[in-house]
Amino acid sequence: MKRYLTPIISLLFCCWIFSSCNMISYPGEYKTDGFYESARLAYFDFGKGDKDTVTYVSFSLRPIEEPEAVVEVPIRLVGTPADHPISIGVEVVTDKTSAQEGVQYEIMDKMVTFPKDSLRTFLRVRLLRSGVGEKAEDRKEIVLKLVDTKDLKVAFSDKNEFKISFDNYFDTSEWEKQWNLYYSPMLGKFNRTVFMKLLEFYHFDVGALLRDFWQPTMISYWAQTKKFFEDHPEYGIEVFFPDYLKLYNDF
C-alpha cells in the first residue's frame, strides 16, 4: 500500500506548489511585443545581518591630516539589468539624523545611478572631520532612505533605512594623566593631536605604544612626529625633542 501512496502524495504536493506559485503576484507589465517584464526595484544591500544596516566611522583612527572620509553604501537592483542608466532617489530621515548637512556631512549623490547592465551601485556620503568634536557626546548620526523614481521603486519599505554613525573620539584621559605626571619633563606637556599622530605610527594600538615606550623605535617615531608638525605649521604645534634623545635617533 505504501508503494502506491508515495507517488500519489508526491503528485498532490506538486499540484499544491504549482497552484501556490500562481497566487504570487510579481510587479511588472506586459510590453507591446507581448513579453512580460518585471518591475525593477532597489534596496540597501545590508549583507547577512541587521548590524550591516549601520556603518561606524571614527576620525580618531585615521591620520590627523585627513579632512574627510567617504562612506560608500551598497545598493542592489531586483530584476533584470537595464540597457541604459537608471536611478533611485535618496533622502535624509531628518527626525533620526543629528548631523548637520554642509557642516558635518555632504551627500555626494542625491540620485544614485545604476550604470548600464549593472545590478549594484553605491551611494556616497562625505563626512567632514572639521565639524566633529573630540568628545564622546559629539558623535553624529545620519539616517538615509531610498525613494521611488520613474526608473525604480523601493523594494523593501520595512528595511529602507541605513545609518551612518561617526565621531572623532578617542579616550586619552589616562594617557594625559600619566604623560603629564611622568613624561612631560622630557617630552613636553600632553597634547592630544601630537599623541594621536604618534599613535598613528603604531596603527592606533595603544598597547604597542606602551610596550615600546622609551625604546629606540618609539624615539624614532617621536622624531618623525616632530618633523611632521614642523612641515605642517598650520597646526601651530611645536613638539619638544630633548637633545639627549638625538643620541638614540638619526634626526
Side-chain angles (χ1 to χ4, degrees):
M1 184 68 178
K2 183 179 179 181
R3 184 177 59 181
Y4 297 106
L5 285 176
T6 300
I8 293 174
I9 292 172
S10 299
L11 178 61
L12 291 173
F13 179 75
C14 291
C15 292
W16 176 77
I17 291 293
F18 179 76
S19 62
S20 298
C21 290
N22 286 339
M23 295 173 64
I24 299 174
S25 176
Y26 294 95
E29 60 182 11
Y30 284 96
K31 299 169 68 175
T32 55
D33 58 9
F35 286 94
Y36 183 79
E37 184 178 71
S38 61
R40 294 185 178 94
L41 311 173
Y43 66 96
F44 288 120
D45 192 6
F46 294 141
K48 295 183 179 180
D50 291 339
K51 64 181 181 180
D52 297 315
T53 65
V54 179
T55 289
Y56 171 65
V57 175
S58 177
F59 279 111
S60 66
L61 302 179
R62 293 170 175 262
I64 64 172
E65 62 270 27
E66 288 189 7
E68 61 186 44
V70 175
V71 176
E72 293 189 336
V73 182
I75 301 174
R76 188 169 287 277
L77 182 72
V78 178
T80 56
D83 60 2
H84 59 279
I86 52 177
S87 300
I88 187 80
V90 178
E91 287 184 359
V92 176
V93 183
T94 55
D95 60 334
K96 296 182 180 180
T97 296
S98 58
Q100 184 178 351
E101 188 169 6
V103 176
Q104 290 146 348
Y105 75 96
E106 298 172 351
I107 298 180
M108 301 172 67
D109 315 285
K110 294 295 179 72
M111 293 287 289
V112 184
T113 300
F114 287 84
K116 174 185 175 181
D117 298 326
S118 176
L119 287 171
R120 202 164 186 249
T121 189
F122 294 90
L123 159 65
R124 298 176 301 158
V125 180
R126 179 183 289 114
L127 308 179
L128 306 176
R129 187 176 200 148
S130 60
V132 186
E134 297 177 350
K135 299 179 181 179
E137 56 268 27
D138 292 330
R139 176 178 291 192
K140 299 298 179 184
E141 293 182 343
I142 310 165
V143 179
L144 304 165
K145 68 176 183 179
L146 302 177
V147 294
D148 296 344
T149 65
K150 63 180 180 61
D151 294 334
L152 289 165
K153 305 297 182 185
V154 176
F156 307 113
S157 58
D158 59 332
K159 294 184 178 180
N160 186 31
E161 287 188 357
F162 192 96
K163 181 191 293 184
I164 301 172
S165 180
F166 60 107
D167 61 28
N168 193 19
Y169 172 67
F170 192 97
D171 186 5
T172 59
S173 55
E174 287 303 316
W175 269 98
E176 184 172 3
K177 293 176 185 177
Q178 297 298 318
W179 190 288
N180 288 333
L181 187 62
Y182 298 110
Y183 309 131
S184 59
M186 293 81 75
L187 300 177
K189 188 177 179 180
F190 180 85
N191 182 295
R192 182 186 185 277
T193 304
V194 173
F195 176 78
M196 295 307 298
K197 186 61 185 178
L198 175 64
L199 196 58
E200 182 185 320
F201 290 105
Y202 289 92
H203 305 287
F204 303 99
D205 184 346
V206 175
L209 171 58
L210 186 62
R211 292 189 296 271
D212 217 17
F213 220 83
W214 289 122
Q215 299 302 311
T217 300
M218 180 267 178
I219 295 173
S220 174
Y221 288 156
W222 186 252
Q224 293 178 62
T225 300
K226 175 180 172 63
K227 180 69 164 53
F228 172 83
F229 287 104
E230 288 177 345
D231 293 341
H232 295 82
E234 65 271 19
Y235 288 96
I237 294 175
E238 183 177 353
V239 177
F240 182 64
F241 195 93
D243 289 338
Y244 69 87
L245 288 183
K246 296 177 182 179
L247 299 174
Y248 303 93
N249 184 76
D250 183 16
F251 180 70

